[in-house]
């Protein structure tokens, strides 16, 4: 008899782990020991499922880098015992957490699938059951004894995406996430359709997992808008201790050509601030120098965020700063795809 695939569920909090108390109507945290009782379909999966939980499950709006380190530690501590991991997480900040974990888990050779739901698991019309069951199925997929998925993914509403390519786009629909610059890795229909060519390919020689838990949060996000004035820009760029700014520019990386605007950016870069150019558009990316309005940004060595999401740009910057990457190398490494987060 072949060994069953072992899957570890990690519950951090969020709607998916809530169940309704029908007497009071209130939502309460789910007891993992009753999981199979509430979802008998899990018995049909050809795998062994165990669950662990945050000591105090949190709303994902309260998620921070310390919690990411806790998730990373849970995976690290159980890495040799399990074939795959499913992280249950609130949807509001799931793209941030899943992107962060993709950078924190270097040489990952097993699936780490983030999922959640828009409705609690006990609701009549819940999306929680499908998301959970299929996430476990995907985490258990193997080919020639090796996991099919060997990266951090995010599964929601019939699609598995590369985690660091996702953005939450809808607070009301079941289809809450999109990955506009990278196609789905797996699609769930009558059968699971795996798009092998889109998956991260590992070398035959598996390197040991390296877990990076130090994330430096001295980062700001600045979204350009018509009317942004000099004093606001200056104050943001001069925040004490600030090390990096994710600058959400227009279209393909364009920005105003006012001298004061360009001078403030140049002065900040000369002081050692890392400024990363990302588009505020949902899809597409930065192409600096394509228009005159981005030529000057290219000349002053703004970091080209290409088609990275804001969520991945923030967490990648935190990871690189936390890893003490030198000022000289930061731009080169940021502009290099580390976990398939950019083209």
């Amino acid at each position: 008899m072949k060994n069953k695939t072992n899957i570890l569920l990690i519950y951090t909090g969020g709607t998916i782990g809530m169940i309704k108390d029908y007497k009071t109507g209130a939502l309460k945290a789910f007891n993992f020991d009753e999981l199979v009782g509430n979802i008998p379909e899990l018995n049909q999966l050809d795998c062994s499922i165990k669950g662990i939980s945050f000591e105090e499950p949190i709303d994902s709006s309260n998620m921070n880098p310390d919690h990411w380190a806790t998730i990373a530690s849970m995976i690290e501590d159980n890495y040799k015992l399990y074939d795959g991991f499913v992280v249950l997480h609130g949807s509001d900040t799931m793209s941030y957490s899943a992107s962060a974990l993709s950078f924190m888990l270097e040489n990952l050779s097993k699936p780490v699938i983030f999922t959640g739901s828009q409705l609690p698991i006990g609701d009549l019309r819940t999306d929680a059951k499908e998301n959970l069951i299929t996430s476990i199925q995907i985490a258990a997929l193997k080919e020639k004894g090796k996991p099919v998925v060997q990266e951090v993914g995010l599964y929601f509403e019939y699609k598995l995406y590369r985690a660091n390519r996702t953005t939450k786009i809808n607070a009301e629909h079941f289809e809450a996430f999109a990955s506009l610059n990278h196609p789905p890795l797996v699609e769930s229909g009558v059968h699971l359709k795996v798009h092998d060519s889109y998956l991260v390919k590992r070398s035959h020689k598996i390197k040991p997992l390296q877990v990076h838990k130090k994330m430096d949060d001295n980062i700001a996000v600045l979204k350009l808008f018509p009317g942004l004035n000099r004093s606001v820009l200056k104050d943001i760029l001069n925040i004490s201790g600030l090390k990096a700014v994710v600058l959400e520019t227009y279209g393909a990386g364009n920005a105003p050509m006012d001298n004061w605007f360009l001078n403030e950016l140049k002065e900040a870069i000369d002081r050692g601030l890392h400024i990363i150019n990302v588009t505020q558009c949902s899809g597409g990316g930065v192409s600096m120098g394509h228009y005159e309005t981005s030529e000057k940004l290219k000349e002053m060595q703004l970091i080209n965020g290409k088609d990275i999401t804001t969520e991945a740009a923030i967490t990648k910057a935190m990871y690189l700063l936390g890893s003490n990457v030198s000022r000289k190398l930061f731009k080169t490494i940021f502009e290099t795809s580390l976990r398939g987060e950019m083209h």
Side-chain angles (χ1 to χ4, degrees):
M1 235 180 88
K2 67 179 179 72
N3 291 334
K4 274 196 169 185
T5 307
N6 293 312
I7 302 297
L8 182 67
L9 293 183
I10 298 171
Y11 178 54
T12 68
T15 304
I16 193 166
M18 308 303 277
I19 196 158
K20 192 175 277 184
D21 183 324
Y22 287 102
K23 288 178 185 169
T24 63
L27 292 175
K28 58 182 182 180
F30 200 73
N31 180 350
F32 266 107
D33 299 333
E34 298 166 12
L35 187 68
V36 179
N38 279 277
I39 311 178
E41 295 93 330
L42 292 176
N43 283 315
Q44 295 177 46
L45 296 174
D46 189 24
C47 55
S48 169
I49 303 160
K50 293 280 189 299
I52 56 172
S53 176
F54 272 20
E55 277 184 34
E56 284 187 30
I58 60 164
D59 187 293
S60 76
S61 300
N62 292 318
M63 193 61 68
N64 64 43
D66 289 339
H67 296 123
W68 298 338
T70 301
I71 300 168
S73 295
M74 287 173 160
I75 292 168
E76 182 180 31
D77 294 345
N78 291 283
Y79 195 68
K80 289 179 178 169
L81 302 172
Y82 292 89
D83 302 291
F85 303 86
V86 174
V87 182
L88 306 181
H89 192 291
S91 62
D92 284 351
T93 61
M94 194 190 296
S95 286
Y96 292 92
S97 297
S99 295
L101 265 290
S102 76
F103 297 115
M104 296 167 89
L105 302 173
E106 188 178 355
N107 301 328
L108 182 67
S109 60
K110 295 180 180 182
V112 173
I113 312 296
F114 277 74
T115 195
S117 65
Q118 297 285 63
L119 287 172
I121 215 154
D123 260 37
L124 189 62
R125 294 175 51 256
T126 187
D127 54 332
K129 281 190 180 184
E130 198 283 321
N131 286 348
L132 178 58
I133 291 165
T134 309
S135 292
I136 294 168
Q137 263 192 305
I138 291 169
L141 282 179
K142 284 191 174 181
E143 195 174 280
K144 295 176 183 171
K146 290 182 180 174
V148 169
V149 177
Q150 298 184 29
E151 58 182 290
V152 182
L154 189 157
Y155 182 82
F156 228 87
E157 191 65 4
Y158 307 117
K159 288 185 175 81
L160 177 75
Y161 300 113
R162 176 165 300 147
N164 55 34
R165 290 293 197 150
T166 62
T167 299
K168 186 173 182 184
I169 55 157
N170 204 301
E172 297 212 349
H173 293 177
F174 286 140
E175 200 174 327
F177 290 88
S179 168
L180 293 162
N181 290 332
H182 197 274
L185 309 178
V186 180
E187 292 182 83
S188 170
V190 175
H191 303 286
L192 282 179
K193 188 176 182 183
V194 179
H195 302 291
D196 280 316
S197 59
Y198 299 141
L199 291 164
V200 162
K201 292 287 180 283
R202 297 286 169 215
S203 59
H204 292 297
K205 191 184 178 197
I206 293 175
K207 296 176 183 173
L209 178 73
Q210 271 190 284
V211 183
H212 305 271
K213 294 173 200 167
K214 194 167 183 296
M215 301 287 270
D216 191 326
D217 60 6
N218 288 293
I219 287 173
V221 178
L222 175 58
K223 184 170 187 162
L224 293 188
F225 58 90
L228 173 68
N229 67 49
R230 186 170 194 167
S231 63
V232 170
L233 178 67
K234 193 180 184 78
D235 285 353
I236 291 169
L237 296 178
N238 283 281
I239 291 169
S240 175
L242 188 66
K243 294 178 185 173
V245 170
V246 175
L247 185 69
E248 288 195 350
T249 54
Y250 307 126
N254 305 314
M257 293 176 69
D258 302 287
N259 284 333
W260 64 262
F261 178 82
L262 298 171
N263 289 341
E264 292 295 346
L265 291 187
K266 186 166 189 325
E267 280 175 26
I269 291 168
D270 290 345
R271 286 195 309 271
L273 188 68
H274 302 294
I275 303 181
I276 301 148
N277 188 359
V278 304
T279 178
Q280 51 184 257
C281 299
S282 302
V286 162
S287 179
M288 283 199 288
H290 187 68
Y291 291 98
E292 189 184 1
T293 44
S294 64
E295 185 63 44
K296 296 275 192 240
L297 304 182
K298 188 179 181 183
E299 284 171 17
M300 70 172 77
Q301 295 289 294
L302 239 71
I303 295 164
N304 188 346
K306 302 178 182 176
D307 64 348
I308 199 168
T309 62
T310 295
E311 293 91 334
I314 291 165
T315 52
K316 185 175 185 176
M318 285 183 177
Y319 161 65
L320 293 180
L321 291 170
S323 302
N324 293 317
V325 166
S326 72
R327 181 183 162 189
K328 203 174 175 183
L329 285 176
F330 189 95
K331 182 179 191 294
T332 305
I333 297 175
F334 196 97
E335 290 178 352
T336 305
S337 180
L338 303 178
R339 310 282 192 266
E341 73 280 0
M342 55 164 60
H343 282 309

